[in-house]
Amino acid sequence: EIVMTQSPATLSVSPGERATLSCRASQSVSSSLAWYQQKPGQAPRLLIYGASTRATGIPARFSGSGSGTDFTLTINSLQSEDFAVYYCQHYSNWPRTFGQGTKVEIK
Amino acid sequence: QVQLVESGGGVVQPGRTLRLSCVGSGFTFNTYTIHWVRQTPGRGLEWVAVISSDGSNEYYADSVKGRFTISRDNSKNALYLQMNSLKREDTALYYCARSRVGATAFDYWGQGTLVTVSS
C-alpha cells in the first residue's frame, strides 16, 4: 500500500496570501495524484487531477505540481471560501489511499 | 446535474449486517466506475471498495475484504455495499464517489450516510 503523507497538518494563512501544501508518496505514483477540498459538513470536492490539471470550475488560483513522489498544491491569494481541509490521493494502483489532510485556517 | 445520493446508514450492533445504497442521476451511470469511501475523525478518508462500470470487477481494502461486498444494478442506476460482520471500527461516514474508467480521480461524491456500530 502506498502511504501518502501531507505537511503541514495545519497552515495558518492570512486572506490574500499564498498557501503551499505538500504531499509525499511512499513510492512513485507518476502523475496519478489528485487534490480534494473539504469544508465542514460537506463531501470532498475534486480540485486537481493528474497532479496539475484543474477540475471543471476550479479557479485559476489553485495550481498543482510535482510527479513521482513529491507534490505541491498552491493556492494564490487565498479567499475566505478557501479555508478548508485539503487531501491528496493517489490513483496509480489499488488500494487508492489518501493523505491525512492539511487544514488551512485563517491567521 | 450530477448527483449521487447515499442511504441505508444507521446504528447497528457489532457482528450484524447493514446494506448501503447509492443512486446516481444526471449522468450515464453505466459508464462510470463507482467507489465507496469512508471517513472518520481519527482515520481520515479511507477508500473501501470499487466496482467497474459493468460490474465485472471489484476491489476491496484489506480492512473490509471478506466482510463487505460491493455490487451495482445499472438498470436502477444503483450501487450497493453489503456490510457483514460489522466491527466498531467500521463506524464512519460512508460516501459513494464516481470516477471515469481507468486510473482516474473521484470527480463527484455523494453527501454520505452515517454508519454507527455500537452495542
Side-chain angles (χ1 to χ4, degrees):
Chain A
E1 166 175 320
I2 297 174
V3 177
M4 307 300 293
T5 303
Q6 291 185 242
S7 61
T10 304
L11 188 59
S12 298
V13 185
S14 298
E17 292 188 340
R18 174 185 298 170
T20 303
L21 290 66
S22 295
C23 174
R24 175 166 288 177
S26 60
Q27 64 189 74
S28 177
V29 299
S30 187
S31 295
S32 299
L33 190 284
W35 290 94
Y36 300 88
Q37 177 193 66
Q38 188 177 34
K39 298 179 181 179
Q42 296 185 16
R45 178 176 72 144
L46 178 65
L47 296 176
I48 301 285
Y49 63 93
S52 61
T53 302
R54 282 188 303 277
T56 302
I58 301 304
R61 63 181 181 272
F62 291 91
S63 63
S65 63
S67 66
T69 61
D70 292 299
F71 301 88
T72 300
L73 175 69
T74 302
I75 313 171
N76 287 308
S77 188
L78 267 158
Q79 306 295 302
S80 58
E81 61 266 30
D82 300 335
F83 292 96
V85 180
Y86 293 83
Y87 296 94
C88 63
Q89 177 219 19
H90 86 85
Y91 47 91
S92 68
N93 62 11
W94 305 105
R96 310 303 199 220
T97 53
F98 295 84
Q100 78 280 19
T102 291
K103 182 180 181 180
V104 177
E105 64 176 25
I106 300 174
K107 187 175 182 179
Chain B
Q1 72 281 21
V2 174
Q3 277 197 307
L4 292 163
V5 179
E6 304 92 338
S7 62
V11 180
V12 61
Q13 293 179 330
R16 303 299 291 262
T17 65
L18 202 62
R19 189 196 199 204
L20 306 183
S21 300
C22 167
V23 175
S25 61
F27 65 101
T28 306
F29 189 81
N30 63 9
T31 65
Y32 283 84
T33 297
I34 311 287
H35 308 256
W36 286 102
V37 179
R38 63 187 182 185
Q39 185 172 31
T40 63
R43 298 196 308 272
L45 289 166
E46 180 186 15
W47 173 83
V48 173
V50 62
I51 189 165
S52 59
S53 57
D54 64 357
S56 61
N57 289 295
E58 307 158 24
Y59 295 98
Y60 298 90
D62 285 346
S63 58
V64 306
K65 199 173 296 182
R67 299 188 299 121
F68 291 10
T69 302
I70 189 171
S71 62
R72 65 192 294 164
D73 183 342
N74 285 340
S75 69
K76 297 180 179 179
N77 285 1
L79 172 79
Y80 305 103
L81 186 67
Q82 179 68 39
M83 310 164 70
N84 297 335
S85 303
L86 281 160
K87 304 176 181 180
R88 285 184 171 83
E89 52 264 39
D90 295 319
T91 294
L93 183 63
Y94 284 75
Y95 295 103
C96 60
R98 76 169 201 183
S99 66
R100 297 182 186 276
V101 173
T104 59
F106 302 175
D107 62 353
Y108 280 93
W109 299 57
Q111 287 303 304
T113 186
L114 182 62
V115 173
T116 303
V117 184
S118 173
S119 53

